[in-house]
Amino acid sequence: MIIHIKIPQVKLLLVISSIFYLCSYLGYCQEKNNYQIVVQNSCSAIKNQGNSGTCWSFASISFIESEIKRTRNLDVDLSEWYIVRNIYPEKIRNYIRTQGNTFISPGGQTQDVLWVIRHKGIVPEKVFSGPQEDGVFNSSVIDTSITDFYKVLKWDDNGLISTNWETKLDSILNADLGKKPFDFKYDQQLYNPISFRDFLEINVDDYIQITSFNHHDYYKPFSLETRFNWSYSNYMNLPIKEYIDALDAALLNGYTVALNIDVSENSFKRAVLGTGVVESNHQFVDQNIRQNLFENGKTRVDHIMHIVGIVEKDKRRYYLTKNSWGEIGPLDGFLLISQDYVKSKAMSLTMHIEALPIGIRNKI
């Protein structure tokens, strides 16, 4: 999902007393509408995905950058578009394996980023910076090229497909996104994508995706039924209370979390346009309400962001969340998402396995 907005920016004031004064030009907040910071963990600077459906890569890379800061105390700017460049062949491969019965789009999930890091490594932003037009990311050319490519793939009478599709696709990706980097220098040292991943000590086995639905057994993994889960990846299923407990525990213990969430509610749109605060249409959310919203199509996979902290106001909890639409809104690109909204609308969360409370870890 992509939204482009040009509005006056009002700065977020973080005062010594750890209070948010959210003073929107729309008059949403009055003079002293105070938000107390409970915890705010480190994250890299806000980016803008521009005219592209790549929130999944931007948010997940931001999450990985925070993990590197946490584990190695390194500030590193990683390439989101290296991930995109390497995942398209896998999407097409799966399309062929299913005889054209799978969903292909510019969108993706956090597990796609982890897959690329595991199998193809990672590179700095400056090594593979992606398609830009007047300084703004623009994937319209590659999106069209990919659509044109897979729509003309044909199986012969024996159910076989041409074996040279990979070569053709690679030529398209080289032309529209750039050739995959092999060797590069970083801080005067020579790396390739795999050795750079190892230098950063990123172990994708350390991360777990959790969700909460009652049509599968709790404390067991299942393949989440969403068209963006084209790789059929597993998510660990937790009851809703432990789902939120896991999120809170992670943030309170210095971890950050990748958030896979539905943003179709009007309250989300209002937040981006001016309030900065995402409220839920559903108060006191329980497991059945969450399940019903999923079953009737009200909750779907729309957007991925990066949760970095907890904020409270009037005993209500909000999650400080980094978006990838540039420094817009009263919080300059961040949002405060209410806990009830997360309970009802967060399809899944990705975090370090050690961020889970020990009681939950023992159960899974």
Side-chain angles (χ1 to χ4, degrees):
M1 181 177 182
I2 312 164
I3 295 179
H4 300 281
I5 307 165
K6 291 185 179 179
I7 60 175
Q9 294 185 10
V10 183
K11 297 295 183 182
L12 168 66
L13 301 181
L14 176 57
V15 298
I16 296 175
S17 59
S18 295
I19 298 292
F20 276 116
Y21 289 89
L22 304 178
C23 302
S24 167
Y25 76 99
L26 295 178
Y28 175 80
C29 298
Q30 301 303 317
E31 249 182 277
K32 292 188 178 180
N33 209 355
N34 297 334
Y35 287 75
Q36 178 71 43
I37 298 174
V38 177
V39 62
Q40 184 173 355
N41 299 314
S42 177
C43 67
S44 52
I46 290 284
K47 287 187 177 181
N48 190 343
Q49 69 190 70
N51 298 307
S52 72
T54 54
C55 63
W56 56 279
S57 186
F58 276 77
S60 302
I61 285 295
S62 177
F63 166 67
I64 294 297
E65 289 169 347
S66 284
E67 280 293 285
I68 294 167
K69 177 67 174 178
R70 182 183 63 83
T71 59
R72 296 288 315 279
N73 197 30
L74 293 176
D75 293 308
V76 59
D77 185 6
L78 299 177
S79 170
E80 296 83 10
W81 290 95
Y82 178 80
I83 302 294
V84 177
R85 172 65 177 78
N86 279 280
I87 208 65
Y88 262 127
E90 303 311 312
K91 290 182 178 181
I92 300 297
R93 196 183 316 280
N94 190 56
Y95 179 82
I96 293 171
R97 287 171 177 164
T98 60
Q99 289 76 50
N101 294 298
T102 193
F103 181 65
I104 296 181
S105 82
Q109 303 276 268
T110 298
Q111 70 254 17
D112 300 337
V113 175
L114 296 177
W115 187 95
V116 172
I117 292 173
R118 178 196 295 277
H119 294 282
K120 306 294 182 180
I122 191 65
V123 302
E125 169 75 19
K126 64 182 181 180
V127 172
F128 198 85
S129 57
Q132 296 189 38
E133 187 176 291
D134 297 327
V136 176
F137 289 118
N138 190 335
S139 67
S140 58
V141 173
I142 185 61
D143 294 344
T144 301
S145 297
I146 292 295
T147 300
D148 292 344
F149 176 80
Y150 78 78
K151 283 191 173 180
V152 299
L153 285 173
K154 294 187 183 300
W155 287 260
D156 64 21
D157 293 339
N158 296 314
L160 302 176
I161 199 164
S162 172
T163 57
N164 69 345
W165 70 266
E166 290 184 81
T167 301
K168 292 180 179 178
L169 177 61
D170 201 52
S171 296
I172 292 170
L173 293 169
N174 286 345
D176 293 350
L177 289 182
K179 293 183 179 180
K180 289 188 288 186
F182 292 97
D183 295 323
F184 57 89
K185 278 191 174 183
Y186 183 81
D187 282 348
Q188 306 306 313
Q189 297 293 320
L190 188 63
Y191 295 95
N192 60 46
I194 297 297
S195 65
F196 190 61
R197 175 203 65 196
D198 295 342
F199 161 70
L200 297 174
E201 298 180 7
I202 306 170
N203 182 0
V204 299
D205 291 329
D206 289 341
Y207 299 98
I208 186 170
Q209 297 183 119
I210 62 173
T211 190
S212 180
F213 292 107
N214 64 20
H215 64 294
H216 290 279
D217 293 336
Y218 294 130
Y219 311 115
K220 293 183 179 179
F222 74 94
S223 181
L224 187 60
E225 300 94 341
T226 164
R227 61 182 183 170
F228 286 102
N229 186 18
W230 59 271
S231 60
Y232 321 113
S233 293
N234 280 332
Y235 297 69
M236 183 59 65
N237 198 28
L238 300 177
I240 190 169
K241 181 181 183 305
E242 291 177 87
Y243 183 56
I244 297 302
D245 286 347
L247 172 59
D248 288 344
L251 295 167
L252 290 170
N253 286 291
Y255 297 86
T256 66
V257 177
L259 168 69
N260 178 2
I261 196 165
D262 172 29
V263 296
S264 63
E265 300 282 357
N266 287 333
S267 58
F268 185 86
K269 298 170 187 174
R270 287 194 298 269
V272 173
L273 287 168
T275 69
V277 181
V278 184
E279 297 288 2
S280 175
N281 292 344
H282 311 276
Q283 302 298 320
F284 309 109
V285 178
D286 62 14
Q287 193 78 60
N288 289 330
I289 290 174
R290 176 180 170 83
Q291 188 71 31
N292 289 338
L293 290 170
F294 176 65
E295 299 288 358
N296 66 22
K298 287 284 188 179
T299 296
R300 60 198 184 197
V301 172
D302 278 335
H303 195 39
I304 296 183
M305 295 180 285
H306 181 198
I307 304 178
V308 301
I310 296 174
V311 174
E312 289 183 347
K313 178 179 180 289
D314 298 332
K315 298 183 179 179
R316 295 191 64 218
R317 180 155 287 188
Y318 298 81
Y319 297 102
L320 180 62
T321 304
K322 178 186 174 185
N323 202 0
S324 56
W325 295 342
E327 296 181 357
I328 62 173
L331 304 185
D332 289 343
F334 287 86
L335 296 167
L336 296 181
I337 304 180
S338 72
Q339 187 175 79
D340 281 327
Y341 194 98
V342 170
K343 280 183 179 179
S344 61
K345 291 290 184 174
M347 291 289 284
S348 65
L349 305 167
T350 304
M351 63 184 67
H352 196 285
I353 186 69
E354 292 181 0
L356 288 174
I358 188 66
I360 295 176
R361 270 189 278 164
N362 288 339
K363 291 178 182 179
I364 65 175

